[in-house]
Amino acid sequence: MSARTIAAREGAGVVQVDAEVLGNSAVGAYRHLTLVTPGLAEIARPGQFVALAVGDGTSSMLLRRSFSIHRVSPAGTYGATTEIVVAAAGPGTEELTRLEAGASVSVIGPLGKGFPLPSQPVPCILVGGGYGSAPLFWLAEQLRERGCPVEIVLGAATADRLFGVVEARRVADGVTVTTDDGSAGTRGWVSDVLPDLIARTGAGVLYGCGPMGMLRSMSAIASDHGIVAQVAVEEAMACGVGICMTCVMPVADQHGTTKMVRSCLEGPVFRGDRVRWEAFDDGLCRVPADAVGAPKEAR
């Protein structure tokens, strides 16, 4: 089945595509999928994501699965393509990892807000945890086109959970790898190497994508050094279009007022110092007592 755009409203910035799977290859512990996505790749930006349907119209898995856009190619032999990286973590993602070349999958995107780019050529450090690093390589290319020196830090629990080490060396001026068990690079967390790297490079911006704990740590380090962190959160986004409210999280606005916002619409990229990280605990997100609309204690 050939790819085709089946829904697009002029100016909306989002399209729905019956995408043809062009390729599906193993990359370490993950699968790298290339999808033919006419109309989507042309308008996507680094940090945005796509939502893929699971199965056909008879599937019992009604909710789509969301993935950061790894890279796009607006024009090529097969037309516009979008690449994603999938980790099999349940029946839905397992089914997606089994898609073969030539198969068709419904894709909606690009969704959410991407990474803001600096107006000046400041040094930047990009931090990825596991396959959360997927959107950072495309971002690195755009930053270097603006004259920004780019360092990439990739971290994971073990060497086989890293993603994109070779690609990072192609798109960055320097690459640092950390693993919890020391099976690759420096033993420890990405937060262990960031302070020295910031001091050495004079970085003005940190960009990150990965587990919430990692994003919280790098946001704190950025604040300690008086620089900005832009983080792409990985909250569960069941619908990806702001309807189901499963990805709501507390974020302070420029006036310091905390609101519960949908990370699929208002994010997934936020300034790290605006996220109320203390609200997250053991996989749950609680509503801060001072958030707008927070439940009041019974008297």
Short mmCIF file of all heavy atoms in Angstrom, two decimals, residues 22 36 73-81:
data_model
loop_
_atom_site.label_atom_id
_atom_site.label_comp_id
_atom_site.label_asym_id
_atom_site.label_seq_id
_atom_site.Cartn_x
_atom_site.Cartn_y
_atom_site.Cartn_z
N LEU A 22 9.12 1.91 5.21
CA LEU A 22 10.20 1.77 4.23
C LEU A 22 11.32 0.88 4.76
O LEU A 22 11.98 0.18 4.00
CB LEU A 22 10.75 3.16 3.90
CG LEU A 22 11.69 3.29 2.71
CD1 LEU A 22 10.99 2.82 1.43
CD2 LEU A 22 12.14 4.74 2.55
N VAL A 36 7.31 6.43 5.17
CA VAL A 36 7.04 7.40 4.11
C VAL A 36 5.84 8.24 4.55
O VAL A 36 4.74 7.72 4.72
CB VAL A 36 6.74 6.69 2.77
CG1 VAL A 36 6.49 7.73 1.67
CG2 VAL A 36 7.89 5.77 2.38
N SER A 73 13.30 13.48 6.33
CA SER A 73 13.87 13.80 5.04
C SER A 73 12.73 14.27 4.14
O SER A 73 11.92 13.45 3.68
CB SER A 73 14.57 12.57 4.42
OG SER A 73 15.07 12.90 3.13
N PRO A 74 12.60 15.59 3.94
CA PRO A 74 11.46 16.10 3.19
C PRO A 74 11.42 15.63 1.74
O PRO A 74 10.36 15.62 1.12
CB PRO A 74 11.63 17.62 3.27
CG PRO A 74 12.46 17.84 4.49
CD PRO A 74 13.40 16.68 4.53
N ALA A 75 12.57 15.25 1.18
CA ALA A 75 12.59 14.81 -0.22
C ALA A 75 13.63 13.71 -0.38
O ALA A 75 14.73 13.81 0.14
CB ALA A 75 12.92 15.99 -1.14
N GLY A 76 13.24 12.67 -1.06
CA GLY A 76 14.17 11.57 -1.28
C GLY A 76 13.62 10.65 -2.36
O GLY A 76 12.61 10.96 -3.00
N THR A 77 14.28 9.53 -2.57
CA THR A 77 13.87 8.60 -3.61
C THR A 77 12.42 8.17 -3.44
O THR A 77 11.68 8.01 -4.41
CB THR A 77 14.79 7.36 -3.60
OG1 THR A 77 16.15 7.78 -3.74
CG2 THR A 77 14.42 6.41 -4.72
N TYR A 78 12.02 7.98 -2.18
CA TYR A 78 10.66 7.50 -1.92
C TYR A 78 9.74 8.61 -1.45
O TYR A 78 8.64 8.37 -0.97
CB TYR A 78 10.71 6.39 -0.87
CG TYR A 78 11.54 5.21 -1.33
CD1 TYR A 78 12.89 5.10 -0.99
CD2 TYR A 78 10.97 4.21 -2.12
CE1 TYR A 78 13.66 4.03 -1.42
CE2 TYR A 78 11.72 3.13 -2.55
CZ TYR A 78 13.07 3.05 -2.21
OH TYR A 78 13.81 1.99 -2.65
N GLY A 79 10.19 9.85 -1.55
CA GLY A 79 9.40 10.97 -1.07
C GLY A 79 9.79 11.34 0.35
O GLY A 79 10.85 10.94 0.85
N ALA A 80 8.94 12.11 1.00
CA ALA A 80 9.23 12.55 2.36
C ALA A 80 9.17 11.39 3.34
O ALA A 80 8.24 10.58 3.30
CB ALA A 80 8.23 13.62 2.77
N THR A 81 10.16 11.31 4.23
CA THR A 81 10.20 10.22 5.20
C THR A 81 10.40 10.75 6.61
O THR A 81 10.99 11.81 6.81
CB THR A 81 11.33 9.21 4.89
OG1 THR A 81 12.59 9.90 4.89
CG2 THR A 81 11.11 8.53 3.56
#
